[in-house]
Structures are given as structure tokens and as C-alpha cells.
Amino acid sequence: MIEIPRLNFAHLPTRVESLARLATTLDGPEVMIKRDDQTGLAFGGNKTRKLEFLVAEAQAMGARTLITAGAVQSNHCRQTAAAAARFGLDCILVLAGAAPERASANFLLSQLLGAEVVWAEWDTRHEALQKAYEAAKDAGNQPYLVPYGGSSPTGACGYVFAIQELMEQEIQADWVVFPSSSGGTHAGLVVGARMFGFGGKILGISIDENEQDLKVHVARLASDTAAHLGEDFTFEPDDILVNADYCEAGYGVLTEKEVEAIYLFASLEGMLLDPVYTGRAAAGMIDLIRRGVFNRNESVLFWHTGGTPALFAEKYMEFIHPK
Ligand SMILES: *Cc1c(COP(=O)(O)O)cnc(C)c1O
């Protein structure tokens, strides 16, 4: 294994807790939760683990600016802005869409954390990011491009070592269930499972991608991540477990299923999920439990990837309101 430079600012290890009341209500397998919503960086989330490696790489390259892109309510952008502030770097966020009438939630926090926002049209967001990068470079601001969702081999290392952390916590689980989107979390988890001998099945619930495309993407990123760490194994699409049955509504579009999951976790466990990612993944997990896909004598670890500030986004208010 090659040693990859890393900073240590996340609050680790994150806790593993039992979701006993949820499990009893669903009358299915044991359910646990890994609290990566509590990674400590400006409300935390899964991007914090990735940023420990990404910011270390940026510093090693002499960067003075972090530049990245995402949706208006991007958790990734919020955590990147916080990491930049923490290490005295500038931050430029290229956001797809238009400035909302009223800043709220992640978008508000990213600005509070000092990020400069550049607006892009959805269709030309990749070009806009490239343009903003070149402009920062020409201005002598030495930008480091943090990939979408922090999902490069460097960023995915955060979740390789999250598996090592889980094993040091002596947690056994037959299934690990979590939201999968830009694939860095998923890729890191499967590489970590292979490297450290974790036996549970790693099942990503797709947020916005069909099953085959996400499998191909995660397999490639996982293979690249393994190579980055000096390991000689690779992954094929069929090595990657993806369930894409819950993403039909599209990215960030709430349906009854997400809302039900959010209310079940809140009312049975006092646990907050986010509307875009963990709400959807939990809805998937709940449905799979109800349909008996997991055996009753198995255990399921739900990996909470954060995102809870989006509960306060103006955009989702009409969906998530007390009935
Ligand atoms: C980004 C994000 C994800 C998806 O993680 P990827 O590594 O991009 O697949 C899941 N949950 C939350 C809350 C996120 O912000």
C-alpha cells in the first residue's frame, strides 16, 4: 500500500448506533447506522472524509484556491468551502442554475464560509468550471480542481479508510447500504472492503443514475483508486452492487417515499435524514426490508452520509412540512 498524504480534521471515528425501534417497526433484520452526518466540518457529511485527502493533495501542489462545482444545494460545495476556510485557501464554487431569490441552507452556508459563487447554465456547467479554473490560474491564484462530489481516486481514499475504521470498531454487518451518486463513497467502500477483508455486501442505492452506468462508473473509479493506493486488484461492473429502483423521480425531486423515510427516522429514532440522498437511500432500504430482500437473521448498516442542512432549503419546504 502506498501512503497517501492526509490531513486530520474530521471527527473520527464516527459513531455506530442501533436503530432498534425502526428495526422492530419494520419487523425485519437488525439495523445500525454509521454517523457520517457527524464528521464535524460545518455540519459534516461524507465529503469531509474525502477532503482530508483532497486538501492534502492541494497543499502538496501549492494550491491557493479550491475550485469545485455542484448543485445550488450542494453539500459537497458547503464542505469544500469550509475546508478552504479552515486551511486559509480561497474557494470558488461553480453552481448550476440561477441565484435563488432567498439564500438558504447549504447555499447560504457556502457563502457564509466565504466561497465566491460563479453561476452556470446546466448544459454548459462543465465548460463554465473549466473557464473559471483557467481564469483563476491566469490570475495567479493557483487553483486546485476538486472533482464533482470529491470523487477522484484521491477523494475516494476517504472511504477506503472508513472501512478500516469500521473494522476497528468491531462492527460486523451483512449489508452496508448508502446513497451513491458521484461514486467516490461507493468506490472507496469496495476498495476498503477488499483491502481490509470486510465481508459485508456493499449496496449503493442510486440517487440519479441507471444501474448499469453507475456500476461501470464505480468499477472504474474503484480500480483507479486501488491503483492509486498501489494495490493490484481491479473491479468489473458486476462486482459492484447497485439498486437503481428509487431514483426515477430524478435528482432532488422528493416523492412520498423519501418523505415517509424522513418521517420514520425522525419519529422512531430522533434521527434526521436529508431530502436528496439519505432520504432516498433510506426509502430504498425500508422498501427492501419490507419486501424481505434482507434475511431476518442478517444485519444491515445504513451509512448516514449527511446532507441534513438541506432540510432547511427553501426549495424543499413544501415537501417536508409537518402534516
Ligand atoms: C455527495 C453525497 C452523497 C453521494 O456520495 P458520492 O460519493 O457522490 O456517491 C450521499 N449523501 C450525501 C448527503 C452527499 O452529500
Side-chain angles (χ1 to χ4, degrees), residues 46-47 50 75-76 79 149 151 179-186 274 277-278 305-307:
N46 65 339
K47 305 311 180 302
K50 302 178 183 185
N75 303 300
H76 163 66
Q79 289 163 86
S151 289
S180 187
S181 179
S182 71
T185 304
H186 205 157
D274 84 284
Y277 298 96
T278 54
T305 49

Side-chain angles (χ1 to χ4, degrees), residues 201-267:
K201 298 187 187 75
I202 309 289
L203 173 63
I205 305 290
S206 176
I207 297 306
D208 48 9
E209 189 79 84
N210 71 66
E211 180 181 329
Q212 191 54 27
D213 285 358
L214 188 55
K215 281 182 165 186
V216 168
H217 172 67
V218 172
R220 189 177 305 136
L221 182 55
S223 299
D224 291 349
T225 302
H228 190 57
L229 284 157
E231 302 289 326
D232 61 3
F233 49 79
T234 57
F235 294 85
E236 296 301 320
D238 283 343
D239 298 329
I240 309 299
L241 299 180
V242 168
N243 182 311
D245 292 346
Y246 306 98
C247 61
E248 204 168 294
Y251 180 87
V253 179
L254 272 91
T255 72
E256 279 168 29
K257 286 193 182 122
E258 286 86 21
V259 175
E260 190 213 3
I262 289 169
Y263 272 86
L264 273 178
F265 271 64
S267 62

Side-chain angles (χ1 to χ4, degrees), residues 15-20 22-23 29-35 166 170-177 198 265 271 285 289 298-304:
R15 289 186 57 160
V16 175
E17 298 172 328
S18 163
L19 297 181
L22 180 75
E30 178 191 357
V31 186
M32 295 169 283
I33 190 162
K34 175 90 168 141
R35 299 295 305 277
L166 185 69
E170 299 187 358
I171 301 297
Q172 311 273 349
D174 297 296
W175 294 88
V176 174
V177 179
F198 180 78
F265 271 64
M271 181 82 59
M285 178 185 74
I289 290 174
E298 290 184 317
S299 55
V300 179
L301 178 84
F302 184 76
W303 206 304
H304 195 323

Side-chain angles (χ1 to χ4, degrees), residues 48-68:
T48 301
R49 286 188 193 265
K50 302 178 183 185
L51 285 160
E52 287 198 331
F53 291 88
L54 293 163
V55 178
E57 185 171 86
Q59 285 184 335
M61 291 167 64
R64 285 177 36 211
T65 306
L66 300 183
I67 178 163
T68 197

